[in-house]
Amino acid sequence: MIKVEGLSKTYKNNNKEIYALKNINIEIKKGEIFGIIGLSGAGKSTLIRCLNRLEEPTNGKIFIDGKEITNLNNTDLRETRKDIGMIFQHFNLLSSKNVYQNIAFPLELEGLKKDEIDKRINTLLEYVDLEDKKFAYPSQLSGGQKQRVAIARSLANNPKILLSDEGTSALDPKTTKSILELLNKIRKEFGLTIVLITHQMEVIKDICDRVAIIEDGEIIELNTVEEIFANPKTKTATEFISTLKINTQEEINYQRKSGSKILRLSFVGENAKKPIVSKMVKQFDIDVNILSGNINELISTSIGNLVLEISGEDNQIEKAIDWLRKENIRLEVI
């Protein structure tokens, strides 16, 4: 659906070239929700804006449905953009127009007749659960309602792709969850491909199939969300994941008993719901003290994290660790 090859973006500052993006290579599948996460200034907004050429790449190629869009003229680019909807952090609604008029705007540009526009808007308002706000103005709406209007507007022309530029960053956690549920519903029912950027790992966890982590303009890690959570390869990935866990510094500073070991365990899928600790205690002559734990529900599976202190004879501790590994439990001795 979307293919990015060798994409770079540079800016000039005092005759110096500053890289915003460096040699980005990504393939995004049809119907996938693909996340791009990074800290402020990492290049994620530049990347997503290059996908519809709101930003012009310096080098590289972008393909949409097999068509290279980096060499399209303005007329052909406008035609291609009809297949690409976009939502923004601050909604970008026209304050002087009501909900109906905001959603109607792209349809009017297409030259649709009024009865066609009415029918389409009524359908979209029902879909985003805002029928009663049809003639309200943006100033009369909550943040979540504004974003629902923006989503309805982005769907007006029946796009194949939806780009979300920090689409939930201005919302509270409860509203964020409802917007993510709506985006997932859109993906499932319309088959849209969704690309979203965020600095919130909670968003990635709740909705994405795969994620790319961007740092200093480069993709430093790209994998399924499940694999990133279970086996992060970079320090940045680990730090993002740690924002979803309770503070592990206390675990590291914990004054363990003499001869004991502290383990951090990661459980994937069904393993996250099995009584692993109970089985281990019964099978080996060891004592276990649970220091912390949580389970993160991803869109396709569960990832459990548990920090334990185990004490006993050295050979029993080693046998318990070997057993955990044979049970496909990923572990780290802290």
Side-chain angles (χ1 to χ4, degrees), residues 118-232:
D118 283 344
K119 183 178 179 181
R120 181 66 177 151
I121 291 176
N122 288 336
T123 299
L124 287 168
L125 286 174
E126 181 180 0
Y127 193 80
V128 299
D129 197 23
L130 285 178
E131 301 102 310
D132 60 331
K133 302 295 182 182
K134 186 174 182 177
F135 300 112
Y137 284 84
S139 61
Q140 300 170 307
L141 304 176
S142 68
Q145 289 169 337
K146 289 176 185 177
Q147 196 59 286
R148 285 174 180 270
V149 175
I151 291 171
R153 182 182 59 188
S154 73
L155 296 175
N157 285 324
N158 293 307
K160 298 176 182 177
I161 297 167
L162 185 60
L163 307 179
S164 172
D165 188 356
E166 294 276 14
T168 60
S169 295
L171 306 175
D172 62 76
K174 184 177 179 180
T175 306
T176 292
K177 190 170 183 63
S178 71
I179 293 298
L180 295 179
E181 288 172 351
L182 176 59
L183 291 176
N184 202 22
K185 176 183 173 185
I186 288 167
R187 183 265 291 268
K188 289 178 179 176
E189 295 186 12
F190 298 144
L192 262 67
T193 303
I194 300 177
V195 184
L196 62 85
I197 66 166
T198 183
H199 61 272
Q200 301 168 299
M201 202 64 183
E202 189 77 29
V203 171
I204 299 295
K205 174 183 78 72
D206 283 349
I207 195 173
C208 294
D209 301 300
R210 290 191 300 147
V211 59
I213 300 172
I214 188 168
E215 185 173 82
D216 295 330
E218 296 182 88
I219 301 295
I220 61 169
E221 196 161 352
L222 192 161
N223 215 321
T224 64
V225 175
E226 176 182 338
E227 185 60 27
I228 291 284
F229 267 77
N231 191 26

Side-chain angles (χ1 to χ4, degrees), residues 29-42:
K29 304 168 189 173
K30 179 177 173 56
E32 183 174 33
I33 299 184
F34 188 91
I36 300 168
I37 190 170
L39 299 174
S40 296

Side-chain angles (χ1 to χ4, degrees), residues 85-101:
M86 192 160 189
I87 58 177
F88 302 88
Q89 178 179 359
H90 297 296
F91 322 123
N92 283 24
L93 300 180
L94 300 168
S95 60
S96 61
K97 295 182 180 293
N98 61 30
V99 168
Y100 177 97
Q101 293 166 328

